[in-house]
Amino acid sequence: MSTGPTKSMSNGFENSLRPEEKQTKQIDEMRKLIGPLSGKLALYCSDASISRYLTARSWNVKKAAKMLKTTLKWRFDYKPEEIHWDDVAIEAETGKIYRSNYKDKYGRPVLVMRPRCQNTKSIKGQIKYLVYCMENAVINLPEDQEQMVWLIDFHGFNLSHISVKVTKETAHVLQDHYPERLGIAILYDAPKIFEPFWKIAKPFLDPKTASKVKFMYSDDPNSKKIMEDLFDMSLVESAFGGNDEAEFDVNKYAERMREDDKKLSSFWKIKDDNSASSAQPTLTADPSLESTNSDSDSEVIDEKAEKPFS
């Protein structure tokens, strides 16, 4: 029996690759359906990216193409790659979401989330910061990796720290525009009072996504083993049973993020040098492709698309 990482469900790895020839053919079919692209959108549509959308739609080319077109229009309108640290610094002050300075044993970036540290009421601002964190994690992926890990710290949690509206909109953006980016989400020491909220939130998720959500507890030996299998615990925060006692320092984190902003800008600029990044993408004028960038802080994105974030 194989013990490699692609077979380990507890580690959030799944072998989703199809036979190479068939995969290449379906990627080519996707490119024909999407049509010509230029600049940043052409760069976004790498073979690996198209494969993620195909996987999210069970390798149904037409459904995957429709989903990808929705993302391309969203990226053209929302411009997530142009969000910089100073645009979201207020949202980040408490460390409610941050990218850790370590990766798991499979090279996946780790996003730490701390619901108790929620510090704003603006849905628009919270989603913008989430998108910034996702884009930042993506540019820090190693070449052979497409997924990331979420560590969610529930210490000090109460129901006032989360909102069904924010959760619904978060799920919508992530499922529509970041498919197959989640390797595993670890909910650490979630209290009993979280269970009713989870029952409400779970239907927003594709079943495959929900299967990647793992509840782990500091007093559970099996949870400890899974964490040790995933991480070098000497680097992990003490909140997750690790040895790092350091508190979140927003000033040091800001320095890291500003350096990453330079890396992000250089990445897109270099790739755009030989193409017109301002060109409008070739997309069907379909109401289902409307942008998800709401002008209203209280507006919740309509659930028009199928659930692909898995």
Side-chain angles (χ1 to χ4, degrees), residues 20 32 69 89 122 145 174 177 210 215 238 240 246 267 278 292:
E20 186 175 347
K32 291 177 183 177
K69 284 183 178 183
S122 168
Q145 185 55 260
L174 295 178
H177 306 310
F215 287 81
S238 57
F240 302 107
F267 173 81
S278 60
T292 57

Side-chain angles (χ1 to χ4, degrees), residues 158-305:
N158 65 58
L159 290 178
S160 70
H161 297 143
I162 52 177
S163 157
V164 173
K165 288 183 178 180
V166 173
T167 300
K168 186 176 180 180
E169 190 161 351
T170 295
H172 185 89
V173 171
L174 295 178
Q175 290 188 145
D176 276 4
H177 306 310
Y178 295 93
E180 295 297 319
R181 285 302 191 192
L182 179 63
I184 185 171
I186 295 173
L187 280 59
Y188 200 85
D189 277 346
K192 287 287 185 182
I193 59 171
F194 179 73
E195 292 179 6
F197 180 84
W198 174 240
K199 289 179 181 178
I200 296 172
K202 192 174 180 180
F204 300 151
L205 303 178
D206 179 89
K208 188 177 176 185
T209 302
S211 73
K212 294 180 180 181
V213 176
K214 308 295 181 183
F215 287 81
M216 298 191 191
Y217 300 93
S218 54
D219 58 356
D220 174 41
N222 188 54
S223 294
K224 182 179 180 181
K225 182 179 185 306
I226 292 173
M227 291 293 289
E228 290 174 348
D229 287 344
L230 272 172
F231 303 104
D232 177 349
M233 296 303 290
S234 68
L235 304 175
V236 174
E237 294 88 343
S238 57
F240 302 107
N243 298 334
D244 184 4
E245 299 281 352
E247 295 291 327
F248 176 78
D249 186 327
V250 68
N251 295 318
K252 290 182 179 179
Y253 190 66
E255 291 178 12
R256 280 179 60 202
M257 293 301 100
R258 288 193 177 105
E259 287 302 310
D260 276 1
D261 285 352
K262 295 176 185 177
K263 181 165 63 174
L264 179 64
S265 298
S266 297
F267 173 81
W268 290 108
K269 183 177 185 300
I270 290 171
K271 298 299 184 181
D272 262 356
D273 281 344
N274 298 320
S275 56
S277 62
S278 60
Q280 170 73 43
T282 304
L283 298 175
T284 305
D286 186 325
S288 67
L289 303 185
E290 287 302 306
S291 169
T292 57
N293 185 17
S294 171
D295 291 330
S296 169
D297 283 4
S298 62
E299 182 177 345
V300 178
I301 297 171
D302 293 334
E303 293 183 285
K304 297 173 184 174

Side-chain angles (χ1 to χ4, degrees), residues 1-132:
M1 187 171 90
S2 172
T3 57
T6 57
K7 296 294 186 181
S8 176
M9 290 300 292
S10 63
N11 287 339
F13 267 85
E14 296 173 69
N15 186 1
S16 59
L17 294 179
R18 295 171 66 84
E20 186 175 347
E21 288 185 6
K22 188 171 184 179
Q23 182 175 345
T24 301
K25 180 181 178 182
Q26 289 174 305
I27 290 173
D28 290 342
E29 290 175 2
M30 280 276 287
R31 292 192 183 282
K32 291 177 183 177
L33 288 173
I34 294 166
L37 297 169
S38 62
K40 296 173 183 177
L41 298 183
L43 172 63
Y44 181 78
C45 290
S46 64
D47 285 359
S49 184
I50 291 174
S51 293
R52 288 190 295 104
Y53 284 80
L54 283 163
T55 301
R57 285 291 179 261
S58 302
W59 294 83
N60 182 307
V61 173
K62 288 184 179 180
K63 289 183 178 181
K66 180 180 178 181
M67 178 188 175
L68 180 51
K69 284 183 178 183
T70 304
T71 293
L72 293 175
K73 188 175 191 315
W74 176 78
R75 293 190 72 90
F76 183 84
D77 293 337
Y78 200 96
K79 296 178 174 53
E81 76 282 353
E82 294 182 11
I83 302 173
H84 296 102
W85 170 259
D86 291 327
D87 300 323
V88 295
I90 293 176
E91 293 286 342
E93 285 178 349
T94 59
K96 62 185 176 187
I97 307 176
Y98 64 89
R99 182 175 60 80
S100 70
N101 56 11
Y102 58 89
K103 296 181 179 179
D104 79 348
K105 290 182 179 180
Y106 303 106
R108 296 178 292 189
V110 178
L111 285 183
V112 174
M113 303 179 181
R114 305 188 296 177
R116 71 178 181 278
C117 296
Q118 182 57 261
N119 62 327
T120 70
K121 296 185 180 299
S122 168
I123 295 177
K124 185 176 180 180
Q126 290 173 31
I127 295 300
K128 188 173 185 178
Y129 182 51
L130 176 68
V131 168
Y132 174 80

